[in-house]
Amino acid sequence: MAFLTIACPCLFGLESVLSGEIKRMGGQDVEVTDGRVCFKGTPRMIARANVLLRTAERVLIVVGGFHAESFQELFEGVYQLPWEHFIGRKDAFPVKGWALNSKLHSVPDCQSIIKKAIAKRLGEHYSVSWLEESGPVHQVQFSILRNAASIMLDTSGSGLHKRGYRPEANAAPIKETLAAGIADLARVRENTLLLDPFCGSGTLLIEGATKALRIAPGLRRHFSAEHWGLIPAQDWQEERRESFEQVRRSAAFRAVGSDIDPAAVALTLANAQRAGIRQKVSCRAEDICNFTPPQHPFVLLTNPPYGERMLTLQQAEALYRTMGQVFAPGEGRSYYIISPHEQFEHLFGRPASRRRKLYNGNIKCILYMFF
């Protein structure tokens, strides 16, 4: 098998960040659409993408795409795809997906049709009348948008945001992939002093630290495609070995967090320990009113309460006013604050240098950047 078409979905607003990651790791013919980046690569690139990518939600193989307005067209389109290249005689192949603005709008019916088409093709190829599906799972994913069907295989398994260091989180955590994207936009580097005065479970600090120290997010976890046989085990081992050799634990990077809740401080430190970067992270219990900007240049990334799951809206607005008072501008000071509040800049007291639309879960936010 030569080159595959690989698709990586991402949170809306992070497409350019993910595109940059993919280009740096060697992906070819990179194409960006809303919430997704596609590229070409060898099967080994599947292993590299799963291990290295910080802002991708999953790594999918695009098996094929076609136009479908009827169940017959959907069945024939799926049946014509080379499933035997990916799925063995005993392998499991559950189906899930979605349909939007299409004539085929019943997801359960689409699942059933796709499953039957794959089963027919595999049954004929392996000369069997029944597929036991007792082997490794090959999750089939489909999307049908405006009658255009895309049929894919999920190589990741658990979402890539599940790094393994955050078994527990506070009441309103930021997603790891979003935190990694913000760290990229803020240009966190090996010598950065990184701050977060609303550290919560420490996600922004930890993602910034692992980026600065070049610790690959998938270095210590496993992926569905490791069990498929599509990619030799040696390729997975080599990708992890090469990633491990890139780690720079001697970097001057430091992360300093604080939170008014002592339980959040303890959680941040525990998560930093699990992420393997505890020695680079310090944290203390402190009210935002007492924040004092360091004398050295720094980058501050923070996800303050929105007034939805934590605090009331009025309390959150009071916090924004306080932040504007204590986050004093100055040479070498950069503040990156994510918030859904449309009047954040007014409450903060000054306009942002730049803004970027992002999504924190299903909440539409703005990343306000103050330089």
Side-chain angles (χ1 to χ4, degrees):
M1 189 179 300
F3 277 70
L4 300 169
T5 298
I6 302 167
C8 294
C10 65
L11 296 173
F12 288 106
L14 293 182
E15 294 90 348
S16 64
V17 176
L18 176 55
S19 173
E21 286 192 86
I22 289 170
K23 290 175 182 177
R24 289 192 294 273
M25 76 173 191
Q28 299 183 28
D29 300 331
V30 178
E31 295 183 1
V32 179
T33 55
D34 288 346
R36 177 170 295 181
V37 180
C38 293
F39 63 101
K40 296 290 197 306
T42 62
R44 178 162 174 169
M45 190 63 73
I46 295 289
R48 184 174 303 169
N50 275 296
V51 171
L52 292 184
L53 293 179
R54 299 181 186 278
T55 56
E57 296 299 315
R58 295 183 177 276
V59 179
L60 309 170
I61 296 172
V62 180
V63 185
F66 49 86
H67 187 84
E69 295 187 16
S70 68
F71 288 131
Q72 183 62 35
E73 287 179 330
L74 179 63
F75 184 94
E76 288 300 326
V78 173
Y79 174 76
Q80 294 298 325
L81 300 177
W83 294 104
E84 63 276 7
H85 292 172
F86 305 100
I87 302 175
R89 185 170 62 87
K90 296 183 179 181
D91 294 344
F93 51 100
V95 179
K96 66 180 180 181
W98 53 268
L100 184 65
N101 298 331
S102 300
K103 290 187 177 180
L104 298 176
H105 54 79
S106 171
V107 170
D109 287 339
C110 290
Q111 286 176 294
S112 178
I113 293 294
I114 291 169
K115 181 79 173 182
K116 289 177 181 177
I118 298 172
K120 180 181 179 183
R121 171 116 186 179
L122 293 177
E124 291 174 354
H125 178 80
Y126 293 118
S127 301
V128 295
S129 59
W130 179 72
L131 298 165
E132 61 183 72
E133 296 194 59
S134 61
V137 174
H138 295 59
Q139 179 66 62
V140 179
Q141 289 199 6
F142 70 89
S143 63
I144 307 175
L145 178 62
R146 291 187 288 273
N147 303 315
S150 182
I151 315 296
M152 298 159 286
L153 282 169
D154 178 11
T155 73
S156 300
S158 297
L160 295 183
H161 70 280
K162 295 183 178 180
R163 320 291 209 210
Y165 65 75
R166 202 175 75 172
E168 298 179 6
N170 65 331
I174 190 170
K175 200 171 187 180
E176 294 90 335
T177 44
L178 177 56
I182 293 173
D184 189 287
L185 292 168
R187 299 183 180 181
V188 172
R189 297 290 187 264
E190 293 184 15
N191 62 346
T192 297
L193 171 58
L194 180 63
L195 310 180
D196 183 358
F198 297 97
C199 63
S201 55
T203 310
L204 282 162
L205 296 175
I206 293 169
E207 291 298 325
T210 54
K211 179 182 186 301
L213 303 181
R214 304 184 194 178
I215 300 173
L219 193 57
R220 298 190 294 177
R221 59 161 286 182
H222 292 279
F223 310 95
S224 288
E226 289 186 70
H227 307 290
W228 293 3
L230 175 68
I231 306 160
Q234 183 178 351
D235 286 356
W236 290 97
Q237 294 167 3
E238 284 294 307
E239 289 299 332
R240 288 191 171 95
R241 181 188 60 78
E242 292 176 9
S243 296
F244 183 77
E245 291 175 351
Q246 293 297 314
V247 175
R248 297 291 182 267
R249 293 193 179 277
S250 61
F253 172 89
R254 288 190 299 125
V256 179
S258 58
D259 199 287
I260 195 171
D261 183 2
V265 172
L267 183 57
T268 290
L269 295 176
N271 288 341
Q273 180 70 37
R274 278 186 284 266
I277 46 90
R278 174 66 182 83
Q279 71 280 10
K280 293 293 185 179
V281 178
S282 60
C283 197
R284 63 182 181 275
E286 183 179 71
D287 191 298
I288 189 63
C289 296
N290 299 321
F291 175 84
T292 302
Q295 295 301 312
H296 303 289
F298 63 84
V299 174
L300 186 150
L301 313 179
T302 198
N303 174 39
Y306 297 167
E308 295 195 8
R309 286 175 287 180
M310 299 174 67
L311 307 184
T312 65
L313 179 60
Q314 291 73 24
Q315 289 172 320
E317 291 178 344
L319 274 182
Y320 298 160
R321 294 188 180 94
T322 300
M323 289 162 60
Q325 296 166 7
V326 299
F327 290 1
E331 185 69 26
R333 298 176 177 181
S334 299
Y335 301 93
Y336 292 75
I337 306 163
I338 186 169
S339 173
H341 201 301
E342 295 181 356
Q343 298 299 315
F344 176 83
E345 290 166 288
H346 173 74
L347 295 164
F348 190 75
R350 61 182 186 270
S353 306
R354 290 180 61 191
R355 303 162 198 83
R356 190 184 187 101
K357 292 181 181 179
L358 295 173
Y359 278 79
N360 188 5
N362 294 321
I363 303 173
K364 184 171 71 174
C365 297
I366 300 291
L367 179 65
Y368 296 97
M369 313 177 202
F370 301 88
F371 309 133

